[in-house]
Amino acid sequence: MNLVPANRKIPVTVITGYLGSGKTTLLNHILKEQHGRKVAVIVNEFGEVGIDGQLIEQGGDEQLIEFNNGCLCCTVRGDLIETITKLRERNAELDVILIETTGLADPAPVASTFFVSNEIRDTTRLDSFVTVVDVINLEKNLEQSVEAQEQVAFADIVLVNKIDLASEEAVARVERKVRSLNPLAKIHRSTQGVVDLALILDSNAFQLDAKLQVDPEFLGDHEHEHDPAIASFVLRESRPIDMNRFMSWMTPLLQEHGDRVLRTKGVFNAHSFNERVVFQSVRMLTTMSRFNAWEADETRKSEYVVIGRNLDQAAFAAGFAKCVAV
């Protein structure tokens, strides 16, 4: 294992991408392949519950820190500065810091933090912004979200993900769209976030001069306001959930309201399962899988985060309550 000299700046890779693009999947791929390196992972979520933190597969060399009390580009930039400072003081042998932003983050304020803050400017090096895009939903996301546009335009590296779900023609069309928004970014393809790590880590792809040419006000104060119509809420249940009932409720709901239900993600205490069951949706596309087993002394519970535009939380809560196993 190569240890990092105390005076070396720690490279920081920021993983961005719109809701459901595959950021956590990429992060897990990186952690699986980062054998022998000391990694710190900072995860920021739009919802109040850290579902992504539960789904990150940790080994012995990772440190996981979660921010669920705001967006890194807005309210918790001070927390980010403090956290990175403490990480550096606590572990001088840290090899890399990975930051997964919320799917609704504006990348520019996150990046500028590394240059306007004396506390972290001298000890870290912003290596790259890796933006993950969902090849199925990118065009629609770009039409409906300023944040999705900003994430692609600001990227140093764009990972066109989920290519197994699209035709070659569709993938090429998405790549042309990315190139029209960002002529300078390197573009790579992936399935399930699998990519050669040499293409995205320690790439030294972030160049401040280039960013300043695109946005001369990059290092100034950024006012980022999220779309007030987009909100998140969490549904909780301690009793086991009947996943057949859940799917019978959720499938038609997403088919009817998929354009407004942007992203859902949950870890379920599923009836008759000894493992956690993970359900995720991105608009109308859904996946469900088993995750790690519940410990014998662990309190089992279901936590389901919903992010969308002008959603009726009470109606969701009522529907979720009907999914309890009897």
Side-chain angles (χ1 to χ4, degrees):
M1 179 176 68
N2 295 322
L3 300 182
V4 180
N7 60 351
R8 180 193 167 190
K9 291 187 177 183
I10 303 171
V12 178
T13 298
V14 182
I15 300 172
T16 72
Y18 200 65
L19 300 164
S21 57
K23 297 184 294 297
T24 303
T25 303
L26 171 62
L27 188 55
N28 274 330
H29 168 62
I30 294 172
L31 294 178
K32 287 177 183 177
E33 298 297 319
Q34 283 290 93
H35 302 299
R37 296 194 187 185
K38 292 188 178 295
V39 180
V41 179
I42 299 173
V43 177
N44 183 215
E45 296 194 59
F46 187 69
E48 63 182 90
V49 173
I51 298 296
D52 283 353
Q54 298 180 49
L55 301 182
I56 292 173
E57 301 176 21
Q58 293 178 262
D61 289 324
E62 299 90 29
Q63 299 180 60
L64 173 64
I65 298 167
E66 296 180 83
F67 291 142
N68 302 319
N69 61 330
C71 182
L72 280 180
C73 67
C74 305
T75 58
V76 296
R77 288 176 69 188
D79 293 343
L80 176 62
I81 294 169
E82 181 180 357
T83 296
I84 292 177
T85 301
K86 288 183 177 179
L87 281 171
R88 186 70 170 99
E89 291 173 349
R90 204 162 56 217
N91 192 344
E93 297 175 351
L94 203 58
D95 289 289
V96 64
I97 296 174
L98 303 172
I99 299 176
E100 179 191 344
T101 70
T102 165
L104 296 173
D106 175 1
V110 180
S112 65
T113 303
F114 288 86
F115 296 94
V116 301
S117 167
N118 293 329
E119 295 96 326
I120 62 176
R121 182 176 56 199
D122 296 334
T123 58
T124 62
R125 173 179 60 81
L126 192 51
D127 185 68
S128 66
F129 268 74
V130 178
T131 297
V132 186
V133 301
D134 173 358
V135 72
I136 300 297
N137 292 302
L138 176 68
E139 291 169 300
K140 185 174 292 185
N141 292 340
L142 291 174
E143 290 175 6
Q144 298 180 354
S145 168
V146 173
E147 287 88 356
Q149 298 169 20
E150 291 170 336
Q151 290 161 3
V152 172
F154 198 83
D156 304 302
I157 299 167
V158 175
L159 197 63
V160 178
N161 195 31
K162 307 182 185 181
I163 62 170
D164 55 317
L165 304 179
S167 65
E168 172 62 30
E169 180 183 0
V171 174
R173 186 175 66 249
V174 164
E175 290 178 334
R176 289 194 297 271
K177 185 64 177 179
V178 169
R179 183 62 66 216
S180 70
L181 291 172
N182 189 333
L184 299 178
K186 299 175 182 177
I187 300 176
H188 305 297
R189 298 181 178 187
S190 69
T191 297
Q192 291 290 318
V194 175
V195 63
D196 183 351
L197 298 191
L199 298 175
I200 61 173
L201 295 182
D202 244 343
S203 61
N204 202 28
F206 184 91
Q207 298 296 327
L208 179 58
D209 289 344
K211 292 293 188 287
L212 288 172
Q213 288 178 10
V214 175
D215 179 10
E217 302 300 320
F218 163 61
L219 295 180
D221 292 332
H222 291 259
E223 290 292 333
H224 177 233
E225 295 184 1
H226 294 292
D227 183 345
I230 297 180
S232 71
F233 53 85
V234 58
L235 305 175
R236 295 181 175 89
E237 179 57 61
S238 57
R239 295 169 294 178
I241 296 295
D242 184 323
M243 297 309 293
N244 289 325
R245 288 186 183 181
F246 175 81
M247 291 302 297
S248 296
W249 166 58
M250 185 53 56
T251 301
L253 188 153
L254 291 175
Q255 289 174 346
E256 183 177 357
H257 302 292
D259 278 348
R260 293 196 293 121
V261 185
L262 303 175
R263 178 73 162 124
T264 77
K265 182 183 291 190
V267 175
F268 289 83
N269 170 24
H271 177 63
S272 77
F273 285 82
N274 289 321
E275 305 95 344
R276 293 169 173 80
V277 171
V278 177
F279 173 85
Q280 304 188 51
S281 72
V282 182
R283 298 186 186 269
M284 287 172 277
L285 181 66
T286 65
T287 61
M288 186 163 60
S289 61
R290 300 187 187 199
F291 198 52
N292 52 12
W294 296 98
E295 299 292 339
D297 59 348
E298 192 173 6
T299 300
R300 300 189 180 193
K301 60 183 178 180
S302 298
E303 293 181 320
Y304 184 44
V305 174
V306 180
I307 304 174
R309 184 178 285 107
N310 297 319
L311 300 182
D312 185 340
Q313 182 175 349
F316 268 83
F320 191 60
K322 294 178 181 178
C323 299
V324 173
V326 294

